[in-house]
Amino acid sequence: VARGVSVAHLLEIPGTTSTSQVTVAPNGERHLSGEDFGACADYRPTAAELDAMAARGVVHIGWTPFAAEIRAELRKRGALVSQDCAVAEGFDNLDVAFCSPGEEEQAAREAAVAALAGGARLAVVTRGAQGSIAFDGTRWGTQKALPVDVVDTTGAGDSFIAGFLSVWGQGGSVEGSMAAGAAAAAQTCHHRGGFRQAPLERMERSG
């Protein structure tokens, strides 16, 4: 709430909170060493929840075993849908497929082509320090990564997606959306963790 995020449709369900174990190297690169999706593993949105999602400008899908079903239901409702295809399978019924196969250009281009062949309308592929590319079946777009003294790359990919969608979801160009994504990703690399937080000891005192 303090960060301007609406919790109007926040759902609390029994079970453990999902956790991720991340190891950060001295150069800021991170390695995901373990994940437990907890209560999220069994969450399937109801019809009413899908209706509420579809009323938004863009619906973004992260990890879920029900991705294909959710995409299909949102498509029926006329929603614009994007997905982090590194953590959820399938490309059908996607307006934007976000892929991240690594920094190598050929692998990135192959991922983009595969996403469109699978049904996505637009593929956006992040390449870490090499920037990003986009492909709509006709045109290729490129965006350089912004220079930054990296502290921690945790959350940079998600920040790129958020920055991209904040522009694209309002009718912005692919090029402008990629630039916004690059800027958001660069900002995230300036601090530890996926978003800037107060020091742990301050949080513990206030709690």
Side-chain angles (χ1 to χ4, degrees):
V1 174
R3 295 180 180 275
V5 178
S6 172
V7 295
H9 294 279
L10 177 67
L11 176 67
E12 294 185 46
I13 54 180
T16 59
T17 299
S18 59
T19 57
S20 300
Q21 297 175 339
V22 182
T23 301
V24 181
N27 67 352
E29 288 297 319
R30 84 286 190 199
H31 172 68
L32 187 63
S33 53
E35 284 189 300
D36 178 359
F37 292 105
C40 294
D42 297 319
Y43 170 66
R44 178 189 263 115
T46 64
E49 289 165 347
L50 288 163
D51 289 341
M53 292 178 197
R56 272 55 194 172
V58 183
V59 183
H60 181 70
I61 299 173
W63 182 87
T64 170
F66 310 113
E69 174 186 326
I70 294 171
R71 291 194 305 267
E73 288 298 324
L74 289 170
R75 175 66 71 206
K76 292 178 184 177
R77 291 165 168 79
L80 291 175
V81 185
S82 69
Q83 178 176 291
D84 183 345
C85 296
V87 297
E89 296 183 351
F91 302 108
D92 53 303
N93 294 310
L94 275 180
D95 293 285
V96 187
F98 290 99
C99 308
S100 52
E103 294 191 358
E104 206 276 322
E105 183 177 1
Q106 184 60 33
R109 287 181 174 269
E110 290 175 356
V113 171
L116 264 67
R121 297 179 179 178
L122 173 68
V124 179
V125 186
T126 54
R127 302 175 55 210
Q130 301 304 313
S132 61
I133 63 173
F135 184 50
D136 64 4
T138 302
R139 296 188 307 118
W140 290 91
T142 60
Q143 170 66 48
K144 293 182 178 180
L146 303 185
V148 60
D149 292 326
V150 176
V151 174
D152 181 1
T153 62
T154 301
D158 292 319
S159 295
F160 178 95
I161 291 173
F164 182 99
L165 293 177
S166 69
V167 173
W168 183 83
Q170 298 183 70
S173 68
V174 172
E175 292 77 11
S177 301
M178 294 172 75
Q187 285 298 313
T188 295
C189 290
H190 280 300
H191 54 74
R192 294 193 180 278
F195 53 90
R196 195 178 296 280
Q197 312 176 59
L200 181 60
E201 59 270 18
R202 190 191 309 167
M203 295 171 66
E204 290 174 341
R205 287 199 300 270
S206 65

